[in-house]
Amino acid sequence: MAPFLLRAERLTKVYPDGTVALHGVDLEVRPGEVLGLLGENGAGKTTLTKILSGLLPPTSGRLLTPAGPVRFHSPKDALRLGIGMVHQHFALVGTFTALENVALGLGGMSLPALRERLEALIAETGLHVPLDVPVEQLAVGERQRVEILKVLARNVNLLILDEPTSVLTPVETAELFKFLRALREKGKAVVFITHKLKEALAITDRIVVLRRGRVAGEVETARTSAAELARLMVGAEAGGRGSSVELATETPAVAREARAAAEPALVVEDLRVRADTGELAVRGLSFALYPGEILGIAGVEGNGQTELVEALCGLRPIESGRVLLLGRPVAGRSPLELYRLGLAHIPEDRWKHGLILSFTVMENAIFGLQRERAFRGPGGLLRRRAALAHAARLVRDFQIQAAGLHAPARSLSGGNQQKLIVGRELAKDPKVIVAAQPTRGLDIGAAQFIRELLLKLREEGRAILLVSADLDEVLALADRVAFMYEGAFVGVARPAELTPEAIGLLMGGVKAGAR
Amino acid sequence: MSRLGQGLRPLVESLIAGLIGLGVGALIMWAWGYNPWPAYRVLFQESFGSTYGLAGALANATPLILTALAFAIGARAGLFIIGAEGMMYMGALAAVAASLPRLPAGLHPLVSLALAALAGLLWGLIPALLRAFRGVHEVISTIMFNWLAHFLAFYLVANVLVDPVRAEKTISVARTARLPLLLRGTDLSLGIGVAVGCALLAYLWLWHTVSGYEVRAAGANPEAARYAGVAPRATVLGVFAVAGALAGLAGAVEAMGRPPTYAVYSGLTNLAGFGFDGIGVAMIGRNHPLGILPAAVFYGGLQAGARLMQMWAKVPFEVVRAVQGVIVLALALPELLRILRRLGLLRRVRRHA
C-alpha cells in the first residue's frame, strides 16, 4: 500500500436543504505531491475540502490518517493533525499586521519568538511578506501569503488551497507555483483546487476530477491532456446531451429572418470593467445582441460575468469601451434611465438587488416603477389602488403563490420571489432583457416556468442576454453561446456545433484551436 | 394572513412583552418585600383610570411622541439618529427666543413652532452632511452634537435668554405664544394636538407617498433602493431634516405648553431626557408612527405613576424606577433586537444556502 497522509473513503454530504453535494467520494493525498482537484461550479470541490479540513462533518463515509480513522469536530482538530486550508475568501484582520494576524490563531506565543519563527519560515519558503504593515495595506497576493504563513506556522503537512490563483496576477501565480514546488520537495502535500485546466496541468502531479459530487476520473498529470480533462469535467453527455433541461431550442424561421434584417439591440465594443478590488474583471469584450435572440454567456463563475452584467445595467462604472442600448450609450446612465430606454434586468442576487424582503408583494411589484405616472399621484401620493391592481395582475399572470398582496416578500418561496421579480421586470415591456442566473436555487417547476418564459420572450422579438453558471441551461436556451474566461470570450458558437470536449476546453479557458 | 392579522401581530407581541415586564417587575417588588398588587393598582388607576391622571399621562406623552417620531423615521430609513436630545434643546430655546418680539396672538405660536422646527433641523444639518458625503456614522456624530447642544444650551439659558428677575430660568414664553391648555388644572395643552398631528402626517408620508416608500426602501435594503432609483444622499438629508424638525417641535411644545413657568430651567432640568426617552418610546411603538401614540401615553403614564406608587403604595423610588425599567425594556426588546441585527451588531444565524 502506498503511503498516504490522508484518505477519504466513500464521503457523502447531504445538506439540510436536501442538496446532495457529494456521493461516495474516495480520495487519497500522498506526501510529496500536488494533487489537483478539478471541476465545474457545484461539482463538490469546496464541500470536499471543507470536510477534509474539519469545517464540515460528512453525512457518511470516513477520513483516515496513517494512524487510523479520525473524526474532525472543527478545523482545530484538522490542524492538530497537520492539515490546514487557505480559503478563497481571506480571514484576516485588516488593521492588524501580518505578525499579529498569525499570532491571533496561535495563542500563547510571544510576539518576538513568533517573529523569529516567521522570519525563518519566510527565508525557508520564499514567501516574502512585510511583517509590520497592516494587512489592509498589502496587495491581494501578499495577503494570500499571510494566509499561507498562518497555516504553515502550525507545522502543517497537508496544505489545501481553494482556487488560490483566482485573485492573483500572472506574476504572483508564478511565484505561488514556485513555492508549491518547494513545498513538494520537502515531502509535504498540497491539494490544489482549480477550474483552470492550464494551471492544473502546470503545477499538479495527479488530478482528481469531480463532476456532480462524484469522482469522474483520476489521472496522472504527465499522462493526460487538456482535452481529456475537459471531457472528464463536463461529462460525455455534454452538448446534445440528455440534460436536465429539456426545451425546444429550434429558433423559428421567422425570428431568424427578423434578426438578419434588424439592427442589434445591444452592442458592446471593447468593454473594460473593474471589479471591487480594482482589478480588471472584464477585459476588452465585444459582442452584439439581436432582437429575437438569446445570447448565452457560459463559464465558471468569477470570470467577470457579474461585473459585465452590472456594467450593462448601470450598477458599475465602465472603465473603457462602448455599450450601446438600442443605439444609445449606456455609460453614465442610472439603472432607472436605462429601464426607461427599454432595458430589464433580472439580477443575479435577488435579495440584494431584486426585492425588499420586508416589503409586501404590492410594494415589491412597483419597486423601481414607483415614480411612474401610473403609481405616483398628485402631490407625490402613492396610488395604492393602482399598485394593488398591478400586483394582482403580476400574481395572476405569473402564477405567483402568495398569501396575499399584503404578505411580505419574505414569506414567499424562492421560486415565487423570482417570479415576482421577473414579472415586474417584464411589465416594463423591455426591448432588451439581461437575465443573470435567472433560475438559480429554484425548484424544477419554477425553473422550467422561467425558461419557457425566456423562450416566449425571444419569440416576441426581444433580445435576451442570458448569463448562467448552469451549463445545461445555457446550451438548451441560447441561440449562441459565448464562453467567458478571465474577463474575455474564449469562444462563441451555436450549441449544436459544440462537442463535449470543446465545451470542457472552453470552460477551462483553452481557446478553440489554440491547443 | 390577512392584512388585519399582520397589523395585530405586533400588538399581541407587545401585550405579551408588557405582561412579562409587569410580571418581572412584580417579582422585583416582591423580592424586596413590597406588595406588588397595590402598587400596580395605584399606578394604573391613577395614571390611566381618572381624567386628571390621563391628562397627566397625555401631557407627559406630548414631547415623547415627537422625539420618538424623530427616531422612528430615522430608523425606517436605516439611520440610527440619537440626536433628538440636542435637537430638542435647540427647539425649546428657539421657541423661547421667539417670544422676544411682539406678535399677534394667532400668529405667535405658529411662528414659534416654525422657528423651533427650523432650529432642530439646523442642529441636525452637520451630522446629516457628514453622513451623506463623508460616511461618518450618525451614532457618533449625533452623540457629539448632543453634548455640544447641552453646553450651548447651558450658556444660552444662563447668559442670553436669562430671566432678569429669576436667574435660574430663561424668560417665560410670551402669553401670546403659549399653547392653550385643554383641561383646566392639568398640564395638558394643545401641544398634544401638534404631536398627534405630526404622527398622522408621518404615517401618511411613509406609507402613502412615493417619497415615503423610497425612504423605507432605503432603510430596508439600501443596495436595492439605489438600483430602483432612490438617491441615497437625498434620502439621508431629507430624513435628518424631518427628524430634526420633529425633535425641535418636541422642545417647543414643552416650553410653550407646560405650566406654570413656560420657560427652560438652568441645568435643563425640565427638558433633559425627552430625546433619549423618545428612543425607548419609538421601540415600544415598533418605530411605527401610529404605534408610537399608545406607547408614548403608556410611557408618560408610567412616569406620572412613579410618584404615586411611592406615595400611596410606599414603594421606594429606586424600586419603582427598576420596575419601570424592566417594563420598558421588555416592551422595547423585540424592536431593539431587530435594529441591532440590522446594524450588524448582532450576528444573524445564517442558513446554509
Side-chain angles (χ1 to χ4, degrees):
Chain A
M1 193 171 67
F4 63 91
L5 275 175
L6 183 69
R7 189 153 70 190
E9 291 182 348
R10 297 182 307 281
L11 285 184
T12 295
K13 178 69 192 178
V14 184
Y15 283 113
D17 64 355
T19 315
V20 184
L22 293 177
H23 295 268
V25 167
D26 291 319
L27 186 82
E28 191 175 274
V29 189
R30 299 164 195 155
E33 74 165 353
V34 177
L35 172 66
L37 209 52
L38 197 66
E40 285 185 67
N41 290 118
K45 292 172 298 192
T46 302
T47 302
L48 176 57
T49 49
K50 280 184 176 168
I51 292 174
L52 296 183
S53 62
L55 214 56
L56 278 178
T59 309
S60 68
R62 61 176 188 165
L63 294 175
L64 281 168
T65 63
V70 285
R71 190 181 283 269
F72 298 147
H73 298 286
S74 78
K76 268 188 193 160
D77 294 346
L79 276 168
R80 210 166 291 136
L81 291 172
I83 299 163
M85 177 156 175
V86 173
H87 295 271
Q88 216 173 335
H89 301 285
F90 302 152
L92 296 170
V93 180
T95 51
F96 279 18
T97 64
L99 184 66
E100 287 162 345
N101 267 291
V102 177
L104 250 189
L106 282 171
M109 197 166 180
S110 78
L111 281 183
L114 182 63
R115 176 189 300 275
E116 217 166 278
R117 171 124 163 256
L118 277 184
E119 276 165 357
L121 203 57
I122 288 172
E124 188 187 350
T125 58
L127 287 173
H128 292 287
V129 174
L131 286 179
D132 298 309
V133 177
V135 294
E136 64 192 0
Q137 293 173 19
L138 299 181
V140 176
E142 289 177 309
R143 287 187 216 177
Q144 185 178 59
R145 281 183 223 154
V146 178
E147 280 282 9
I148 295 175
L149 282 174
K150 239 167 80 178
V151 175
L152 290 183
R154 295 170 162 232
N155 299 320
V156 156
N157 293 319
L158 168 55
L159 181 64
I160 304 172
L161 300 171
D162 188 5
E163 301 267 2
T165 58
S166 61
V167 292
L168 299 185
T169 63
V171 177
E172 286 173 332
T173 301
E175 280 172 15
L176 176 71
F177 282 7
K178 212 166 86 191
F179 156 73
L180 292 181
R181 289 192 189 100
L183 214 57
R184 174 173 62 192
E185 294 305 307
K186 290 199 202 82
K188 309 218 170 193
V190 176
V191 174
F192 184 91
I193 301 159
T194 186
H195 63 265
K196 296 176 184 172
L197 298 176
K198 252 187 263 173
E199 289 179 358
L201 289 168
I203 185 68
T204 65
D205 302 299
R206 202 158 55 91
I207 300 172
V208 170
V209 183
L210 288 180
R211 187 171 74 236
R212 295 185 183 175
R214 294 173 201 276
V215 175
E218 184 182 330
V219 292
E220 298 286 327
T221 308
R223 291 194 207 128
T224 189
S225 64
E228 187 189 11
L229 290 175
R231 244 191 334 266
L232 288 171
M233 201 162 106
V234 180
E237 72 275 21
R241 50 181 161 172
S243 66
S244 56
V245 183
E246 296 200 16
L247 292 162
T249 47
E250 280 304 300
T251 311
V254 193
R256 288 228 183 275
E257 274 164 33
R259 181 208 300 177
E263 292 287 305
L266 182 71
V267 179
V268 173
E269 282 172 10
D270 199 25
L271 177 68
R272 277 166 221 275
V273 182
R274 288 194 188 278
D276 292 335
T277 57
E279 298 283 310
L280 271 182
V282 177
R283 305 168 186 217
L285 210 59
S286 301
F287 65 89
L289 174 67
Y290 290 88
E293 162 184 67
I294 298 180
L295 172 62
I297 295 188
V300 177
E301 276 183 84
N303 277 297
Q305 295 97 322
T306 303
E307 287 82 2
L308 169 65
V309 167
E310 289 183 354
L312 294 181
C313 297
L315 289 166
R316 187 175 282 277
I318 288 169
E319 178 75 13
S320 71
R322 235 171 30 134
V323 180
L324 295 177
L325 173 69
L326 304 165
R328 307 212 197 170
V330 159
R333 289 187 204 261
S334 72
L336 208 61
E337 290 169 308
L338 292 175
Y339 131 61
R340 289 190 174 138
L341 287 181
L343 178 79
H345 173 205
I346 300 168
E348 171 180 318
D349 187 335
R350 12 175 207 281
W351 292 353
K352 193 170 159 199
H353 292 123
L355 41 72
I356 294 187
L357 289 173
S358 60
F359 272 27
T360 64
V361 170
M362 177 201 90
E363 288 170 330
N364 275 298
I366 61 160
F367 192 57
L369 302 168
Q370 74 272 8
R371 295 189 188 179
E372 292 299 303
R373 242 340 124 57
F375 303 119
R376 184 187 191 153
L381 280 179
L382 188 65
R383 291 184 194 271
R384 290 180 67 97
R385 202 169 298 168
L388 275 174
H390 180 67
R393 207 157 43 235
L394 292 187
V395 164
R396 192 185 60 228
D397 292 353
F398 293 90
Q399 300 160 30
I400 298 165
Q401 306 289 320
L405 301 178
H406 295 290
R410 190 189 309 283
S411 67
L412 271 58
S413 72
N416 285 304
Q417 289 175 355
Q418 187 73 346
K419 284 184 191 172
L420 179 58
I421 295 170
V422 170
R424 181 188 69 212
E425 293 300 307
L426 297 183
K428 296 172 176 174
D429 189 23
K431 302 282 186 301
V432 179
I433 299 156
V434 175
Q437 319 291 355
T439 63
R440 168 176 292 171
L442 303 192
D443 62 70
I444 296 169
Q448 194 73 358
F449 180 89
I450 284 172
R451 288 174 186 144
E452 276 163 14
L453 199 62
L454 290 174
L455 290 177
K456 190 171 134 258
L457 292 164
R458 178 184 70 182
E459 310 300 279
E460 292 171 7
R462 301 177 206 269
I464 301 168
L465 187 71
L466 170 67
V467 180
S468 176
D470 182 342
L471 190 55
D472 292 332
E473 175 172 280
V474 177
L475 292 174
L477 293 178
D479 300 295
R480 288 183 299 151
V481 187
F483 289 85
M484 199 157 172
Y485 182 81
E486 295 191 340
F489 287 163
V490 284
V492 183
R494 296 188 185 290
E497 294 163 357
L498 287 162
T499 61
E501 188 182 309
I503 292 169
L505 288 171
L506 289 165
M507 294 284 285
V510 181
K511 270 198 171 82
R515 272 172 276 154
Chain B
M1 209 191 299
S2 73
R3 201 181 163 196
L4 186 70
Q6 280 176 23
L8 281 178
R9 216 188 116 186
L11 211 68
V12 173
E13 240 179 65
S14 290
L15 273 177
I16 295 171
L19 287 176
I20 292 173
L22 286 171
V24 177
L27 275 179
I28 291 177
M29 285 190 268
W30 176 78
W32 263 265
Y34 304 99
N35 189 350
W37 179 244
Y40 278 149
R41 209 180 49 208
V42 166
L43 173 65
F44 283 97
Q45 262 177 9
E46 296 301 320
S47 299
F48 306 107
S50 71
T51 313
Y52 283 92
L54 196 60
L58 287 171
N60 283 344
T62 304
L64 292 176
I65 291 172
L66 290 162
T67 51
L69 286 173
F71 178 81
I73 287 171
R76 287 282 170 185
L79 295 169
F80 204 79
I81 303 174
I82 48 183
E85 184 81 14
M87 297 162 172
M88 178 212 31
Y89 296 159
M90 291 301 123
L93 292 173
V96 170
S99 284
L100 292 173
R102 277 171 196 275
L103 287 170
L107 190 65
H108 210 161
L110 294 178
V111 170
S112 305
L113 288 175
L115 277 177
L118 185 68
L121 184 156
L122 289 175
W123 197 251
L125 189 63
I126 291 175
L129 290 170
L130 284 173
R131 170 66 202 231
F133 291 94
R134 307 296 315 159
V136 175
H137 202 288
E138 67 280 359
V139 167
I140 308 297
S141 58
T142 53
I143 287 179
M144 290 164 68
F145 266 76
N146 281 342
W147 284 107
L148 290 175
H150 184 81
F151 290 112
L152 179 60
F154 265 39
Y155 173 80
L156 291 174
V157 169
N159 295 294
V160 180
L161 294 168
V162 64
D163 187 331
V165 196
R166 293 171 60 192
E168 81 277 14
K169 69 177 197 59
T170 62
I171 53 169
S172 291
V173 169
R175 283 185 192 285
T176 47
R178 291 181 189 171
L179 293 168
L181 291 183
L182 296 181
L183 195 62
R184 197 182 291 273
T186 68
D187 286 2
L188 184 61
S189 76
L190 196 58
I192 188 73
V194 173
V196 172
C198 285
L200 294 177
L201 284 176
Y203 168 73
L204 281 179
W205 178 45
L206 286 174
W207 273 275
H208 289 269
T209 70
V210 171
S211 82
Y213 172 93
E214 292 188 346
V215 163
R216 288 187 297 121
N221 187 341
E223 188 85 16
R226 200 169 61 91
Y227 167 62
V230 180
R233 282 178 182 165
T235 308
V236 169
L237 295 179
V239 165
F240 252 101
V242 173
L246 287 167
L249 284 177
V253 294
E254 198 57 19
M256 295 159 61
R258 267 282 185 176
T261 48
Y262 295 100
V264 176
Y265 277 89
S266 77
L268 312 175
T269 44
N270 60 335
L271 291 181
F274 289 134
F276 295 121
D277 288 349
I279 297 175
V281 170
M283 290 199 205
I284 294 175
R286 305 298 171 93
N287 287 319
H288 192 294
L290 301 184
I292 281 171
L293 293 176
V297 176
F298 178 76
Y299 199 98
L302 219 53
Q303 278 183 329
R307 272 190 322 247
L308 301 167
M309 275 166 87
Q310 192 184 4
M311 245 154 43
W312 300 109
K314 306 279 179 242
V315 180
F317 191 65
E318 292 73 17
V319 175
V320 172
R321 292 294 289 177
V323 170
Q324 279 186 329
V326 165
I327 295 171
V328 169
L329 195 62
L331 282 166
L333 208 54
E335 189 68 18
L336 184 67
L337 290 177
R338 259 189 285 267
I339 289 179
L340 289 180
R341 209 173 279 147
R342 207 165 52 221
L343 284 172
L345 297 178
L346 279 186
R347 203 179 296 176
R348 196 190 298 260
V349 180
R350 232 175 252 243
R351 272 185 49 206
H352 173 79

